[in-house]
Amino acid sequence: MNLKSTLMLALVTSVVGLMVAVFAFLPVPFNALLGLLAAGLVIWYFRKTEGRGARIAFIIWTVVYFLFFTVLIAAIRYRMGLI
C-alpha cells in the first residue's frame, strides 16, 4: 500500500465508523438514511480497491473506529445527562 491508499483507508474507515456509531443513537428515519449512506460508502470503497488485504484492513479499522466513537458518544451523552 502506498501513502495515498493508506490515507484513503484511514479517512473512509473513520467516516464509516463514525456513521455506524451515530446510527445507534439516532431516531428511526434518520438512522436509516445514515445507514444507507454508510453502506454506499462501503460499496464505493470496495469497488475502488481490489486487494483482499485492503478490504480486510477496512473491516478491522471500521470496527475499531466504531467502538471508539461509540464509547466517546456514550461518555459525552452521559456527561450531558442524556442517558
Side-chain angles (χ1 to χ4, degrees):
M1 290 180 71
N2 57 10
L3 180 64
K4 183 180 176 184
S5 63
T6 304
L7 291 176
M8 183 62 75
L9 174 70
L11 177 70
V12 175
T13 55
S14 63
V15 169
V16 171
L18 179 63
M19 284 181 177
V20 175
V22 171
F23 174 85
F25 295 101
L26 286 179
V28 171
F30 301 111
N31 66 358
L33 293 174
L34 195 64
L36 287 174
L37 186 63
L41 194 58
V42 170
I43 291 170
W44 171 80
Y45 184 78
F46 274 25
R47 284 187 181 169
K48 190 174 189 299
T49 57
E50 297 177 5
R52 185 184 309 164
R55 291 179 179 180
I56 292 171
F58 178 86
I59 293 169
I60 291 170
W61 281 108
T62 299
V63 169
V64 168
Y65 278 120
F66 162 70
L67 293 173
F68 171 73
F69 285 126
T70 301
V71 169
L72 185 67
I73 292 169
I76 291 171
R77 286 176 54 110
Y78 177 76
R79 182 76 173 134
M80 293 174 63
L82 297 174
I83 293 179

